[in-house]
């Protein structure tokens, strides 16, 4: 059974720092992996989707990497801003049906 | 990206009553919709998968008679929480997709049962 773990559970850093969020999964047979952002009491915003054949995806200040063999993905945020404060969720899709298995999230606080 | 609208965003209901949550794909026809539940400080958990015109497939531990899912059209799925109790208070979120494409998420519904 696929399990997804995110470390750390919470992170607080000063504005401007570069940071890395980690996601690990137990079954390397994945279809794709997706990173989301969730603001308090709000829905989900998709940030990056990495297909199983890809090693990384980039969007603006965000870069997500995928190492299937080791069951790991990282989300790199460059030059963090207070507006980046949110909970970041990692979700693994094991097949084309898109039934996602979710990590518990990393709550990120960027201090001005 | 495609837009999925979920309504209402917040609802408070009395214990024992039923609540309906709607999930609409606004600019595409969703062959499959998913319903998730998120308790405070926990992961989202898949509740059920529904394909248009057929019965929903529920995950283990989810009571299908309590959480009624209807996917009657390619743009609308509804989740009805029947005889709601305080332990059903949670954040419910839907997603919708077409074959061979990623799923798009609604804004979520915060349900509070008092």
């Amino acid at each position: 059974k696929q399990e997804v773990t995110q470390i750390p559970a919470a992170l607080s850093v000063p504005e401007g720092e570069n940071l890395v969020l980690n996601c690990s999964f137990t079954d390397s047979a994945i279809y794709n992996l997706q990173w989301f952002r969730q603001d308090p009491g709000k829905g989900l915003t998709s940030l990056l989707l990495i297909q199983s054949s890809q090693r990384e995806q980039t969007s603006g200040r965000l870069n997500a990497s995928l190492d299937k063999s080791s069951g790991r993905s990282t989300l790199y945020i460059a030059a963090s801003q207070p507006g980046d404060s949110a909970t970041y969720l990692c979700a693994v899709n094991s097949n084309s049906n898109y039934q996602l298995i979710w990590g518990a999230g990393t709550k990120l606080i960027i201090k001005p | 990206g495609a837009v999925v609208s979920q309504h209402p965003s917040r609802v408070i209901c009395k214990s024992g009553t039923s609540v309906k949550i709607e999930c609409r794909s606004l600019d595409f026809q969703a062959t499959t919709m998913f319903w998730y539940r998120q308790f405070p400080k926990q992961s989202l958990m898949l509740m059920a998968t529904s394909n248009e015109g057929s019965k929903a497939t529920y995950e283990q531990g989810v009571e299908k008679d309590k959480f009624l899912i209807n996917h009657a059209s390619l743009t609308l799925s509804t989740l009805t929480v029947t005889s709601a109790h305080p332990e059903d208070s949670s954040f419910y979120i839907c997603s919708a997709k077409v074959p061979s494409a990623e799923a798009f998420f609604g804004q979520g519904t915060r349900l509070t049962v008092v």
Side-chain angles (χ1 to χ4, degrees), chain A residues 34 38 43 97 99 102-104, chain B residues 34 36 38 43 49 91 102 107:
Chain A
Q34 200 163 358
Q38 185 177 31
N97 290 333
Q99 293 167 321
W102 298 80
Chain B
F34 304 94
Y36 295 88
Q38 184 182 35
S43 302
T49 303
F91 186 71
E102 67 180 280
Q107 306 94 318

Side-chain angles (χ1 to χ4, degrees), chain B residues 23-61:
Chain B
C23 180
R24 293 181 184 272
S25 56
L26 298 186
D27 51 2
F28 68 102
Q29 293 184 323
T31 50
T32 304
M33 288 188 172
F34 304 94
W35 287 95
Y36 295 88
R37 178 169 55 184
Q38 184 182 35
F39 291 109
K41 299 184 180 180
Q42 295 187 23
S43 302
L44 279 81
M45 298 296 293
L46 179 65
M47 298 176 67
T49 303
S50 72
N51 293 294
E52 186 268 338
S54 62
K55 290 183 178 180
T57 301
Y58 290 81
E59 295 300 301
Q60 191 173 9

Side-chain angles (χ1 to χ4, degrees), chain A residues 1-13:
Chain A
K1 180 183 176 183
Q2 179 75 272
E3 293 183 1
V4 180
T5 304
Q6 289 187 248
I7 296 173
L11 181 63
S12 179
V13 300

Side-chain angles (χ1 to χ4, degrees), chain B residues 13-25:
Chain B
C13 71
K14 291 184 178 180
S15 185
T17 62
S18 296
V19 173
K20 180 183 286 188
I21 303 170
E22 292 187 348
C23 180
R24 293 181 184 272
S25 56

